Amino acid sequence: MAASSSLASSKSLLGGRRSDGVSGLGFRQPSDLRRLSSSAIQISIRRWASLPARRLEVRAGGDKFGKHFEVTTYGESHGGGVGCVISGCPPRIPLSEEDLQFELDRRRPGQSRITTPRKETDTCRILSGIHEGMTTGTSICVFVPNTDQRGHDYSEMSIAYRPSHADATYDFKYGLRAIQGGGRSSARETIGRVAAGAVAKKVLKMYMGTEILAYVSQVHKVVLPEGVVDNETVTLDQIESNIVRCPDPEYAQKMIEAIDAVRVKGDSVGGIVTCIARNVPRGLGCPVFDKLEADLGKAMLSLPATKGFEIGSGFAGTFMTGSEHNDEFYMDEHGNVRTRTNRSGGIQGGISNGETIYMRVAFKPTSTIGKKQKTVTRDRQETDLIARGRHDPCVVPRAVPMVEAMVALVLLDQLMSQTAQCGLFPVNPALQQQIAPDPNETLLTPKLV
């Protein structure tokens, strides 16, 4: 009886109608307040009572990324289209749809037998923010239409949850979901990220010659040995020379065979994408909560199917002593402070030190598979499910441009933050030099290419 009375009081408190007529949080009667027997709350409510009535609003988050170079993605797998809106892009940057299309073509489905057979050209249109081939500094809107939807493939999945997919959790959170294609949980959402990342890559390249490259370093149990690929010299052409995007031909073939082996069985495998960023300006990242590796970690783990992230030595560093792990400093022939090793992965204290940044991102096996699995229906009945639809047997080959894009978004956002805070006045030439053949170059000296 006591529990029932307490519940009734809670409903009276939380389900009330305020003086401005809005349903929701509020009190029905002054006696509701007395029943709480809390003078602190009474004082708080009286203080609010003197203020003009306002409507309570809850804003849903999760569609925006970045603070200065802000990207909002929109659209769903089986809707009219997908894309992004970029706010804060610097003006006077040469930009065309071809710049974006190059990256989108690396991400698009239907590239080879080891990717989803869905056929989409992913042809982009820039709707705003460009004039005579240059960015204007205003918001850039990019749109990519969906043209090859098959909603009927999802009839079984409209009733039963796919194991390890977002079907169930979207229902748990929202009470409904977009069934065809998985809605916002579909990897087609990443089109907006890749388009925005193409813009960020171009700005970073112009400013400092920054280059961001990712490649597949593991598929299932096929692991590219450390040292086989030189992160200081690996090129985009080497990465793009095969359908799995591994720069070593021998291991690339082994990875392709591993994907083929599960593909024909209706199963899937995961893997690891390694990403490097060369010629990154020093000083990116802020102490405590906005450390550069913290932003990179959030960016990577926001990608679909990601389950792990490590930077520099990562978890392997736990097997080393301090004397083994520390990156000792030295002076190079140009008078630059450098490190002899790079176990820190180009970041120390959450701030870039100018060395190559490298990280690894783990992707789980694709959850939608053609094998029979145990699951439950939306009305809580146990059942079996054989999922239909067109899905990647391994996501890592197409994840490569997605990882690169998110790294670019983080680096440009942090660069703009650094310029806003520390670039207002002349830099300290004794301490703030960038790594360059000419030691007189500083953070404020862009390299136009």
Side-chain angles (χ1 to χ4, degrees):
M1 186 66 183
S4 175
S5 175
S6 174
L7 181 61
S9 297
S10 298
K11 289 181 177 179
S12 176
L13 171 63
L14 298 177
R17 183 170 295 273
R18 297 181 354 201
S19 59
D20 57 357
V22 178
S23 297
L25 183 63
F27 298 96
R28 295 184 186 277
Q29 303 289 341
S31 58
D32 294 334
L33 188 60
R34 297 189 192 98
R35 284 201 299 271
L36 294 174
S37 301
S38 172
S39 58
I41 295 179
Q42 290 179 39
I43 293 172
S44 175
I45 296 302
R46 287 174 185 149
R47 186 183 299 165
W48 278 102
S50 63
L51 296 177
R54 296 180 180 178
R55 179 177 294 275
L56 292 177
E57 294 183 358
V58 177
R59 292 190 177 185
D63 294 324
K64 293 184 179 181
F65 185 84
K67 297 178 180 178
H68 305 276
F69 190 85
E70 184 184 73
V71 178
T72 303
T73 68
Y74 65 85
E76 298 178 345
S77 172
H78 282 51
V82 293
C84 67
V85 176
I86 305 167
S87 301
C89 180
R92 302 184 303 280
I93 303 296
L95 188 68
S96 67
E97 291 173 346
E98 288 73 23
D99 293 324
L100 279 58
Q101 198 63 54
F102 174 77
E103 298 292 347
L104 291 173
D105 286 346
R106 298 173 67 209
R107 193 224 72 93
R108 69 176 176 81
Q111 297 179 32
S112 69
R113 68 178 187 273
I114 63 171
T115 66
T116 171
R118 179 171 175 170
K119 297 296 183 181
E120 296 276 3
T121 61
D122 287 350
T123 304
C124 71
R125 292 175 56 202
I126 299 178
L127 304 181
S128 65
I130 305 294
H131 179 67
E132 296 182 347
M134 304 284 281
T135 59
T136 62
T138 57
S139 294
I140 300 171
C141 180
V142 181
F143 174 72
V144 173
N146 293 324
T147 60
D148 187 26
Q149 307 99 315
R150 291 186 188 174
H152 60 272
D153 284 346
Y154 293 83
S155 57
E156 295 92 347
M157 291 171 273
S158 66
I159 302 170
Y161 296 129
R162 285 171 284 180
S164 289
H165 198 276
D167 294 342
T169 51
Y170 270 51
D171 266 358
F172 297 163
K173 180 175 178 66
Y174 299 110
L176 78 167
R177 59 188 167 91
I179 294 167
Q180 286 77 17
R184 288 290 282 170
S185 68
S186 167
R188 284 196 67 73
E189 176 274 331
T190 62
I191 285 176
R193 305 179 191 224
V194 172
V199 180
K201 284 171 121 178
K202 185 157 192 175
V203 176
L204 291 165
K205 186 74 172 179
M206 291 178 62
Y207 186 85
M208 191 72 182
T210 301
E211 185 178 25
I212 301 166
L213 293 172
Y215 58 87
V216 176
S217 55
Q218 180 178 333
V219 168
H220 199 209
K221 297 179 181 179
V222 180
V223 181
L224 184 67
E226 188 173 351
V228 170
V229 174
D230 185 352
N231 287 338
E232 299 302 324
T233 62
V234 65
T235 66
L236 179 63
D237 287 342
Q238 290 174 322
I239 295 168
E240 294 293 320
S241 64
N242 55 74
I243 60 177
V244 79
R245 294 199 168 99
C246 173
D248 182 82
E250 178 185 351
Y251 280 89
Q253 185 57 38
K254 294 179 181 179
M255 293 175 182
I256 294 170
E257 292 171 357
I259 298 174
D260 277 336
V262 298
R263 177 179 61 85
V264 297
K265 299 176 182 177
D267 215 335
S268 64
V269 290
I272 291 176
V273 172
T274 295
C275 186
I276 58 173
R278 302 189 289 232
N279 300 322
V280 176
R282 286 173 166 173
L284 305 191
C286 299
V288 193
F289 298 114
D290 292 327
K291 292 180 177 179
L292 184 54
E293 66 260 55
D295 279 5
L296 288 169
K298 177 179 180 178
M300 296 304 106
L301 294 175
S302 73
L303 287 168
T306 50
K307 285 298 179 184
F309 169 79
E310 63 179 16
I311 193 161
S313 62
F315 291 102
T318 62
F319 295 101
M320 307 174 77
T321 64
S323 59
E324 293 170 330
H325 190 271
N326 288 344
D327 297 316
E328 294 183 346
F329 291 106
Y330 76 102
M331 300 298 297
D332 70 8
E333 65 272 24
H334 302 295
N336 297 306
V337 179
R338 303 292 300 275
T339 61
R340 296 191 184 277
T341 54
N342 191 20
R343 299 183 186 94
S344 301
I347 302 174
Q348 294 169 329
I351 299 170
S352 61
N353 63 7
E355 305 293 341
T356 296
I357 295 175
Y358 69 94
M359 68 205 78
R360 290 160 36 99
V361 188
F363 289 82
K364 70 182 179 71
T366 315
S367 56
T368 308
I369 58 176
K371 296 178 76 77
K372 182 185 292 187
Q373 299 180 92
K374 298 291 185 182
T375 186
V376 298
T377 62
R378 298 181 82 182
D379 58 0
R380 300 175 180 270
Q381 300 298 312
E382 293 186 353
T383 187
D384 294 330
L385 174 68
I386 299 178
R388 291 190 294 164
R390 298 159 294 172
H391 307 278
D392 295 84
C394 180
V395 300
V396 291
R398 290 209 299 139
V400 164
M402 304 177 197
V403 169
E404 291 177 1
M406 294 308 295
V407 171
L409 294 179
V410 170
L411 293 181
L412 182 54
D413 196 53
Q414 285 280 11
L415 174 60
M416 295 176 74
S417 174
Q418 166 71 1
T419 304
Q421 181 186 22
C422 301
L424 291 176
F425 301 99
V427 298
N428 183 341
L431 298 175
Q432 291 179 281
Q433 294 175 353
Q434 296 297 336
I435 297 177
D438 180 2
N440 294 320
E441 292 189 12
T442 71
L443 181 67
L444 298 181
T445 305
K447 288 186 175 181
L448 297 178
V449 293

